[in-house]
Amino acid sequence: MSMTIPDTGNTPQKDNAPNSPVKPNKGGLEGIVAATTAISKVDGTAGRLVYRGYDIHDLAQTCSFEEVAHLLWFGHLPNQKELSDLHQKFVAQRSLPEVVLQTIRELPGTTEPMDVLRTAVSAWGAVSISGKPTIDQAIAVTARFPLILAAFNRLRNGKEILESRAELGHAANYLYLLTGEVPKEGHVKGLNSYLVLLADHGMNASTFTARIVASTESDIVSSLVAALGALKGPLHGGAPSKVQDMLHTIGTIENAEPWIRDAITHGGRLMGFGHRVYKTADPRAEELREMAQVADPEDFKLAHHVEKTAIALLDELKPGRRLYTNVEFYSAALMKSVGLTGDLFTPTFAVSRCAGWTAHILEQTNNNRLIRPEAEYTGPSNETFVPLADRS
């Protein structure tokens, strides 16, 4: 996500009704309650994110991704036996049918990994999934997201696809499948925390998309493929690598102030700043800031300086439009530190969010009503029809 400095483009429509209790329509369904959920809550005013009642700061610092996935799917944090059982279920699903592997092999090496993930997940669903969404299906597809990405990444680099290692957790196995080496503890910890932080985030665009498809009583994979399409967009999850590009362009601490000042003055984009919901600091960005500092102190110096400089210059040049870094700003630094290339950033977001998407799909399925909103028609009325032969 990025923020264009002079204007967001979301100008409220004028409300001519006196003392109207209806909020001005900003478009994009802003302020509209589309569903009820017990999965997660985003408090944009307080800068708080909660999964099933648990504060994200507590979960990010102490829990494995598997624990959080269990929380989202089953409604409670697992005990040791439940966690071990879930790990074994993940391990049992760590394989890809030959038809999916062949699909991945036949895609050009220049294909965007996000497109590979969408295509391969669809291929897997075509041969593996039918019927009403279930938790077992949620586990099966979540286990396979990393396998698909790692397989493609190795093939495009001229390497053989690896077999998963049963003793490794979700984050560690993903890194192993990418590199062929048992990952460093610090890398596993950093990626695991990232996966926890991104696992769910209220009724965002991709989650809403998944729930819309699920509400038609379609299958779980169709819902996920739709969600992947929504996540790919740069206004949702497609911007973390662009933060890295921006920092690379800035280059040095000395260049930060003039580059940012020029961007703000001339309506450029500050990548990784601003959020549709949060009116204060994004709690996920706070966690990622600390992790990025530990993971790569040198790169962190430039990123942190850019953050502080941008906030100060925004306060100076655009008073009243204070922006904070969002989850994507420090995600870039953290994922780079664990060895991921820029085009794997958004697909790795999906590796995490698959747990939340499937939890929402199951919640929608279990208490379903077709999502079918109204649209306000603004076109012409009462046009006179003229036959084709008489049209000038």
Side-chain angles (χ1 to χ4, degrees):
M1 184 178 291
S2 65
M3 185 61 68
T4 303
I5 305 306
D7 186 11
T8 63
N10 290 328
T11 304
Q13 297 180 5
K14 186 176 181 181
D15 185 359
N16 294 317
N19 301 318
S20 171
V22 180
K23 292 182 179 180
N25 178 17
K26 294 183 178 182
L29 298 181
E30 185 167 337
I32 304 299
V33 175
T36 59
T37 182
I39 297 170
S40 69
K41 175 179 174 59
V42 181
D43 187 337
T45 303
R48 190 163 182 252
L49 173 60
V50 172
Y51 294 171
R52 302 270 192 193
Y54 292 93
D55 190 277
I56 194 62
H57 293 299
D58 295 329
L59 298 174
Q61 294 171 11
T62 60
C63 288
S64 67
F65 173 76
E66 290 89 332
E67 287 178 83
V68 168
H70 189 286
L71 172 65
L72 297 177
W73 289 329
F74 295 95
H76 66 274
L77 286 169
N79 58 33
Q80 188 58 60
K81 183 181 184 306
E82 289 170 326
L83 183 59
S84 296
D85 289 345
L86 181 57
H87 174 74
Q88 291 305 315
K89 288 180 179 180
F90 267 115
V91 169
Q93 297 295 337
R94 288 177 178 171
S95 64
L96 294 172
E98 182 55 37
V99 65
V100 177
L101 291 173
Q102 189 61 30
T103 298
I104 297 171
R105 289 190 182 99
E106 291 180 357
L107 290 170
T110 55
T111 307
E112 289 188 30
M114 200 60 184
D115 293 334
V116 174
L117 181 60
R118 184 194 64 224
T119 302
V121 168
S122 184
W124 176 77
V127 298
S128 306
I129 293 296
S130 63
K132 183 177 179 180
T134 67
I135 286 181
D136 285 342
Q137 291 177 357
I139 294 169
V141 70
T142 302
R144 287 176 169 84
F145 267 43
L147 275 61
I148 292 168
L149 292 171
F152 174 72
N153 191 61
R154 289 189 68 81
L155 288 171
R156 70 175 175 173
N157 287 296
K159 299 177 181 179
E160 289 299 314
I161 300 171
L162 298 173
E163 296 290 332
S164 294
R165 296 182 58 155
E167 74 275 15
L168 297 179
H170 198 64
N173 189 60
Y174 180 31
L175 291 175
Y176 168 73
L177 292 176
L178 287 167
T179 66
E181 300 176 0
V182 176
K184 298 177 182 178
E185 182 179 349
H187 287 179
V188 175
K189 182 178 180 181
L191 181 59
N192 178 79
S193 294
Y194 171 83
L195 297 179
V196 168
L197 288 166
L198 275 292
D200 199 54
H201 201 245
M203 195 61 69
N204 56 81
S206 57
T207 297
F208 185 45
T209 301
R211 291 189 73 134
I212 290 172
V213 176
S215 80
T216 70
E217 297 187 353
S218 189
D219 62 275
I220 195 170
V221 168
S222 294
S223 299
L224 289 172
V225 169
L228 285 166
L231 184 68
K232 183 183 175 184
L235 293 184
H236 187 9
S241 63
K242 291 180 173 58
V243 174
Q244 188 182 39
D245 294 341
M246 180 185 74
L247 293 175
H248 179 74
T249 300
I250 293 172
T252 65
I253 287 176
E254 293 73 23
N255 192 43
E257 193 276 341
W259 191 95
I260 296 169
R261 185 178 291 275
D262 181 73
I264 295 174
T265 302
H266 294 95
R269 287 187 178 273
L270 293 183
M271 307 308 298
F273 284 80
H275 195 277
R276 177 74 167 262
V277 178
Y278 290 115
K279 309 308 178 186
T280 183
D282 184 333
R284 302 168 299 171
E286 294 174 342
E287 289 288 337
L288 288 166
R289 184 189 296 111
E290 296 181 18
M291 295 176 207
Q293 183 174 15
V294 173
D296 193 332
E298 285 303 311
D299 278 0
F300 175 80
K301 290 178 183 178
L302 175 61
H304 190 46
H305 183 77
V306 167
E307 178 188 30
K308 292 191 299 181
T309 303
I311 290 173
L313 287 174
L314 284 166
D315 190 49
E316 172 193 336
L317 300 173
K318 301 288 179 180
R321 294 212 56 223
R322 186 171 178 82
L323 300 177
Y324 297 86
T325 49
N326 57 47
V327 68
E328 292 167 345
F329 188 81
Y330 283 107
S331 290
L334 180 65
M335 287 191 282
K336 179 186 174 186
S337 75
V338 303
L340 296 178
T341 57
D343 62 359
L344 287 174
F345 291 179
T346 300
T348 302
F349 187 150
V351 168
S352 168
R353 187 56 59 84
C354 187
W357 286 334
T358 50
H360 278 272
I361 292 166
L362 292 168
E363 186 178 58
Q364 181 69 41
T365 301
N366 291 334
N367 185 28
N368 189 46
R369 181 173 172 80
L370 177 66
I371 297 174
R372 204 288 188 188
E374 298 292 331
E376 182 181 358
Y377 176 69
T378 59
S381 299
N382 302 318
E383 293 283 346
T384 301
F385 177 76
V386 178
L388 177 59
D390 296 333
R391 295 175 206 160
S392 58

